[in-house]
Amino acid sequence: NIKLDRESFYNLFCNIFNGYNGSFMIKVAVTGSMGSGKTTVCHHLAIKYNIPLFNSDKFAKKLYRDNQELKSILIKRYGEKIYNGQEIDSPLLASLIFPKKEELDWINKTLAPFVRVGFEDFCKSYEGIFDYCIMETALIYEHKIQDLFDFVVYVTAPEKTRIERVKLRDQKSEENIKS
């Protein structure tokens, strides 16, 4: 474990990957708590170093909408009400999984194989074109996918900072965020 400020991290990243010979694709996971700054770090790396970025949250939202196998699994577990037409009822799903650890564990275990395959396909689509790819995910260890990566970067921020960021981003109260 190495703790670095943002600029030191970017400098280290640049030094590690400068001069890489490209014999295989380096896969980097960027993880951290809600509001820690994962997205900021990932976007900076993707833009500054021209690295393809896989956002697992956006991918999961697409899966909920488009993957018939996953839809069937969720409907079997939660009933038809879990979908509003083609879209997952996110507030309902959150109300079902967040209060109960076993439900949260179940959804993470259910999504993990889909996320794994999605990321593997994403990386394959860039092989020979890019030397690196990044996955932004809060759930690398919960999905048990850490073996996919050559490097895991854990982004942190003080709790007060994280809460303020999430309040601004999601328009939620501090009480709602902490629950």
Side-chain angles (χ1 to χ4, degrees):
N1 285 344
I2 302 171
K3 188 172 185 174
L4 302 171
D5 61 50
R6 183 177 293 164
E7 194 57 37
S8 296
F9 167 73
Y10 293 135
N11 289 335
L12 176 63
F13 188 88
C14 184
N15 288 331
I16 288 172
F17 298 121
N18 272 349
Y20 173 64
N21 69 5
S23 59
F24 64 93
M25 179 178 271
I26 293 176
K27 298 172 183 121
V28 179
V30 177
T31 190
S33 302
M34 186 168 50
S36 63
K38 294 181 300 292
T39 301
T40 300
V41 168
C42 285
H43 284 213
H44 182 79
L45 293 174
I47 291 166
K48 186 170 183 173
Y49 300 105
N50 193 30
I51 300 174
L53 173 60
F54 180 90
N55 182 302
S56 64
D57 285 348
K58 288 180 182 174
F59 182 75
K61 287 177 183 162
K62 186 177 185 299
L63 280 173
Y64 286 137
R65 186 185 64 242
D66 299 338
N67 188 290
Q68 293 306 315
E69 180 184 357
L70 180 59
K71 277 184 171 183
S72 296
I73 292 168
L74 293 173
I75 289 170
K76 183 176 180 183
R77 182 136 182 137
Y78 300 116
E80 295 280 340
K81 66 184 181 290
I82 201 66
Y83 278 92
N84 288 326
Q86 290 296 96
E87 298 296 322
I88 189 89
D89 186 334
S90 295
L92 176 59
L93 182 62
S95 74
L96 294 170
I97 65 172
F98 288 121
K100 300 176 186 166
K101 183 179 179 342
E102 64 274 2
E103 286 301 314
L104 184 58
D105 291 346
W106 179 86
I107 199 84
N108 287 336
K109 184 178 177 184
T110 301
L111 283 173
F114 294 101
V115 172
R116 175 182 285 276
V117 169
F119 183 67
E120 289 171 339
D121 290 347
F122 176 82
C123 291
K124 283 178 190 164
S125 72
Y126 289 107
E127 278 180 0
I129 302 168
F130 293 94
D131 292 334
Y132 325 101
C133 64
I134 301 170
M135 176 194 270
E136 176 185 350
T137 181
L139 301 173
I140 183 173
Y141 299 106
E142 292 84 352
H143 282 169
K144 296 180 178 27
I145 56 172
Q146 61 270 24
D147 62 302
L148 289 174
F149 304 99
D150 301 294
F151 296 94
V152 175
V153 176
Y154 186 78
V155 181
T156 64
E159 181 180 28
K160 184 176 181 178
T161 302
R162 289 186 289 117
I163 289 169
E164 288 304 314
R165 288 174 179 167
V166 175
K167 281 168 60 176
L168 285 171
R169 182 189 69 203
D170 298 347
Q171 302 297 305
K172 291 184 176 180
S173 68
E174 185 170 336
E175 180 181 295
N176 193 305
I177 293 165
K178 287 183 172 183
S179 65

